[in-house]
Amino acid sequence: MRINCFLILFLTVFLSANAQITRLKVFEPDSTDAGFKIVRIKDVKLKYLTRSAKLTDPRTVLNRVKPLSIWYNRFKPTSFWKKVNKFGLNISEVAFVNWNAGGDNSVSALASADFARNYKFRYLNWNNEVQLRYGLNAQEGRKLRKTDDQIRLSTTLSFRKDTITNWYYSVKANLRTQFSNGYKYPDRENPISRFMAPGYLFVGVGTSYIPPKDQFNLYISPATMKSTFVLDEVLSNQGAFGVEEGKSVFLELGFLVTNTWETEIARNVLMNHRINLYTDYISSFGNIDVDWELNFNLKVNEYLNANIGTHLIFDDDTKFDEEIAEDGTVINPGIARIQFKQLLGVGLLYSF
């Protein structure tokens, strides 16, 4: 028995050693030149497949292809510019038909436009802003009247010494004026203000505190030149807005503090605050000119919003209740008073 097993094992090993192995001709020479040879890889069909092998057909059947249900997001390169473009239109209307309590039909419209181009990267911060406002009111029984008029341009260039601090060295310029003539209604013959009469230009250097989110901005300038322009001959001869009679420019050097703050105090309720405080070193140090705006924007949807705002101004160079004699001499120069404006409107807002 043992001899038989030994013989069978011997024959098996001997036959296996002398067996001829037929290899698959996967790699076949394409040319017979000994110096240059090209090898092509042939498709070889495997007889036995492993369990983990997954065969796929590289050919795509077009009738099985479906379009994308969600469009892909295109690549946008990183930009250090922050852009704001807003157009707004608020309209309010009151109409009466056989109304026993009485009243006059009226329509009011207020158009606004806000543009901003702000650049921020490492040490440099450059903010540019344009604000435009114009409003009209039409009431039954009287002529068209202006309700709002504003042009505001501002630019601030800031630089910091490192990327850790939030304090910047800044240069700031701000221009404020109006579009059309202003009247003390119902008098429409004698305008009390015009384009660049007055016009206020602030240019100064100082320091700014700008946190990373840019929602808060504090600017302090110990050296700011305030220029008051009255480019209308009639108003200039009257010495309006603090200029000398016959002059068109009045210059002041003083201290300026500006603060802007924008935050969401509740869901879809955005508060926007801006205040300017200025005092002159030479003529009236300690007498502070105030320009303060506070607005609340209530967002209804992407295009519809409501706005509640106030605007308060106190300028010692703007006098009220001036008394002039028949010969043109000023009897009473008048006094400075607080100017206050309140706004409530619902309308359309388009941003792009």
Side-chain angles (χ1 to χ4, degrees):
M1 186 65 180
R2 293 181 179 179
I3 295 174
N4 294 335
C5 292
F6 177 76
L7 291 174
I8 293 172
L9 180 61
F10 177 77
L11 291 174
T12 302
V13 174
F14 178 77
L15 294 175
S16 298
N18 294 321
Q20 294 183 356
I21 301 174
T22 302
R23 297 181 180 179
L24 295 174
K25 295 182 178 181
V26 178
F27 300 96
E28 181 179 341
D30 188 63
S31 62
T32 59
D33 189 1
F36 182 78
K37 184 180 291 186
I38 298 177
V39 178
R40 290 183 178 179
I41 301 177
K42 289 187 175 182
D43 295 333
V44 178
K45 186 176 181 180
L46 299 178
K47 186 176 182 180
Y48 300 103
L49 299 178
T50 61
R51 294 181 179 180
S52 60
K54 295 181 180 180
L55 300 180
T56 58
D57 189 354
R59 297 169 296 180
T60 303
V61 182
L62 295 180
N63 58 3
R64 298 179 183 177
V65 177
K66 296 181 180 181
L68 294 174
S69 59
I70 302 177
W71 188 255
Y72 64 91
N73 294 326
R74 295 186 177 181
F75 172 75
K76 294 182 179 180
T78 302
S79 176
F80 302 103
W81 286 94
K82 181 180 178 182
K83 301 179 181 180
V84 176
N85 302 296
K86 293 181 180 179
F87 289 97
L89 179 62
N90 294 342
I91 298 177
S92 61
E93 183 262 349
V94 178
F96 302 94
V97 176
N98 300 324
W99 191 253
N100 185 49
D104 295 328
N105 300 333
S106 66
V107 177
S108 297
L110 174 63
S112 63
D114 294 333
F115 305 97
R117 297 293 184 272
N118 301 330
Y119 177 85
K120 186 175 184 180
F121 179 68
R122 291 177 65 83
Y123 309 106
L124 186 63
N125 192 318
W126 186 22
N127 295 336
N128 304 277
E129 187 177 6
V130 177
Q131 294 181 347
L132 308 175
R133 302 281 187 277
Y134 198 81
L136 294 172
N137 172 262
Q139 186 172 342
E140 185 180 8
R142 69 179 187 182
K143 296 182 179 179
L144 199 66
R145 294 190 178 187
K146 183 174 66 173
T147 58
D148 199 355
D149 192 356
Q150 177 179 300
I151 301 175
R152 185 184 296 273
L153 312 175
S154 65
T155 179
T156 306
L157 182 62
S158 304
F159 179 82
R160 59 180 175 177
K161 59 181 181 180
D162 55 55
T163 58
I164 301 176
T165 181
N166 294 325
W167 287 94
Y168 293 76
Y169 303 103
S170 301
V171 178
K172 186 180 183 69
N174 187 351
L175 175 65
R176 188 177 82 247
T177 184
Q178 62 190 48
F179 284 101
S180 61
N181 296 350
Y183 299 94
K184 188 175 181 180
Y185 298 108
D187 182 8
R188 296 177 177 271
E189 301 296 330
N190 303 307
I192 59 175
S193 61
R194 293 179 180 269
F195 175 76
M196 289 301 294
Y200 300 100
L201 175 64
F202 294 85
V203 179
V205 295
T207 182
S208 297
Y209 177 75
I210 308 174
K213 294 184 178 180
D214 297 334
Q215 294 181 341
F216 182 89
N217 189 312
L218 175 64
Y219 172 74
I220 302 174
S221 172
T224 295
M225 179 70 71
K226 177 184 177 182
S227 304
T228 303
F229 297 92
V230 181
L231 303 184
D232 180 73
E233 184 177 357
V234 176
L235 295 175
S236 175
N237 292 333
Q238 295 176 0
F241 306 106
V243 301
E244 297 182 8
E245 295 183 5
K247 299 293 183 65
S248 58
V249 181
F250 176 58
L251 301 178
E252 298 175 274
L253 178 63
F255 190 93
L256 175 66
V257 177
T258 299
N259 174 237
T260 59
W261 183 30
E262 183 175 322
T263 183
E264 189 174 13
I265 59 176
R267 185 177 179 181
N268 294 332
V269 179
L270 185 67
M271 185 194 74
N272 194 319
H273 149 84
R274 182 191 59 82
I275 187 170
N276 291 351
L277 304 175
Y278 179 81
T279 183
D280 179 47
Y281 285 131
I282 302 174
S283 60
S284 58
F285 182 74
N287 190 1
I288 301 175
D289 295 338
V290 181
D291 185 356
W292 181 27
E293 283 188 73
L294 182 62
N295 294 292
F296 296 91
N297 294 322
L298 289 73
K299 185 177 180 181
V300 179
N301 53 38
E302 186 178 359
Y303 300 106
L304 186 63
N305 76 325
N307 181 268
I308 304 173
T310 60
H311 192 179
L312 185 146
I313 296 177
F314 179 82
D315 190 346
D316 190 60
D317 297 324
T318 304
K319 306 295 184 180
F320 294 87
D321 300 329
E322 182 183 22
E323 297 180 6
I324 302 176
E326 295 181 357
D327 57 355
T329 60
V330 178
I331 303 175
N332 183 5
I335 59 174
R337 291 186 177 181
I338 295 176
Q339 307 172 50
F340 182 78
K341 180 179 66 176
Q342 188 270 334
L343 174 67
L344 173 61
V346 178
L348 301 176
L349 181 65
Y350 175 70
S351 302
F352 63 96

